[in-house]
Amino acid sequence: MMTIYFVRHAEPNYENHDDRTRELSPKGMRDRKLVTKFLSDKQVDAVLSSPYKRAVDTVSEFAESRNLAIRIVEDFRERRIDSEWIEDFSSFSRAQWEDFDYKLSDGECLREVQERNIRALNCVLEEYQDRTIAVGSHGTALGTIVNYYDKRFGYQEFDRIRALMPWIVRLTFDGKSCVDMEQYNLFLGK
């Protein structure tokens, strides 16, 4: 059996519109302590992350507390929306969740994001068999992973967790079969 804790990043600084370098807000820096506390009693063997700064920073305090290096996995990154900042994120997001092939000219559709993240996850399942790992992730990327194993996770569920940062999803695998999934709101408990 293998356990993976996917950790959606804490609150970012929305003033920075660059996806790769967007750091955590002061609140996000404080809230990442919730992740450290949550993972502190888990037997985590490795920490992986999306390459985006906000995801790395969310799991870095925990990784440092365990003397674990963070391994960057490029394919765990968030989806590319477009080359421009989207003002009406709600309408755009709804359109994507209602049609997994919908995308803007310079962006990715959710099907592409899901395929990329599941491909990365399958590589991790092969490499880290029977271990426990934590992965720094993102709302949409993680949402597509949850949707892959539970098709009931759609726009309504995504909208429910949209402002929930950080958010953790524990997936348990027997080989490559997901046998259990649990979501954690760190502000309320389970």
Side-chain angles (χ1 to χ4, degrees):
M1 297 293 256
M2 180 174 179
T3 302
I4 302 177
Y5 292 95
F6 278 97
V7 180
R8 190 232 182 137
H9 62 78
E11 182 184 85
N13 170 16
Y14 290 110
E15 298 300 313
N16 181 349
H17 292 181
D18 182 73
D19 244 359
R20 286 200 177 260
T21 65
R22 185 175 310 129
E23 68 279 10
L24 295 178
S25 69
K27 179 184 185 318
M29 290 299 285
R30 289 188 304 273
D31 288 347
R32 72 184 185 155
K33 294 181 181 317
L34 296 169
V35 172
T36 301
K37 181 178 179 186
F38 176 85
L39 293 173
S40 67
D41 65 344
K42 314 300 187 277
Q43 299 303 314
V44 175
D45 302 301
V47 179
L48 285 59
S49 182
S50 151
Y52 293 3
K53 183 169 176 42
R54 61 193 182 274
V56 172
D57 287 352
T58 300
V59 295
S60 65
E61 184 183 72
F62 170 74
E64 289 168 12
S65 76
R66 293 286 179 90
N67 294 317
L68 295 171
I70 298 173
R71 177 177 161 207
I72 301 301
V73 179
E74 185 70 27
D75 280 349
F76 279 138
R77 69 190 180 278
E78 182 62 294
R79 61 95 175 74
R80 179 171 169 77
I81 294 175
D82 200 8
S83 55
E84 310 263 328
W85 183 259
I86 300 297
E87 293 300 329
D88 187 359
F89 183 77
S90 293
S91 295
F92 168 74
S93 183
R94 179 183 293 274
Q96 282 210 304
W97 281 98
E98 289 175 356
D99 176 1
F100 258 45
D101 293 313
Y102 175 80
K103 64 180 173 180
L104 300 176
S105 61
D106 243 0
E108 290 179 287
C109 67
L110 293 190
R111 186 172 320 285
E112 292 168 320
V113 176
Q114 185 178 63
E115 288 171 357
R116 175 170 44 77
N117 274 268
I118 294 300
R119 185 174 55 247
L121 174 56
N122 282 330
C123 289
V124 166
L125 290 172
E126 289 174 13
E127 186 175 343
Y128 293 89
Q129 291 178 21
D130 299 322
R131 293 198 247 165
T132 299
I133 64 170
V135 178
S137 188
H138 304 272
T140 301
L142 178 50
T144 67
I145 293 170
V146 173
N147 169 271
Y148 183 83
Y149 295 106
D150 182 355
K151 294 297 182 207
R152 295 173 297 180
F153 190 96
Y155 177 74
Q156 283 188 315
E157 292 71 27
F158 173 76
D159 194 48
R160 179 183 56 79
I161 62 96
R162 200 168 90 186
L164 189 56
M165 296 177 261
W167 174 55
I168 294 180
V169 177
R170 178 186 47 78
L171 298 173
T172 305
F173 292 89
D174 184 0
K176 287 192 178 177
S177 297
C178 182
V179 296
D180 192 41
M181 182 184 323
E182 194 75 48
Q183 299 179 32
Y184 300 90
N185 176 339
L186 300 186
F187 299 99
L188 301 175
K190 218 185 231 185

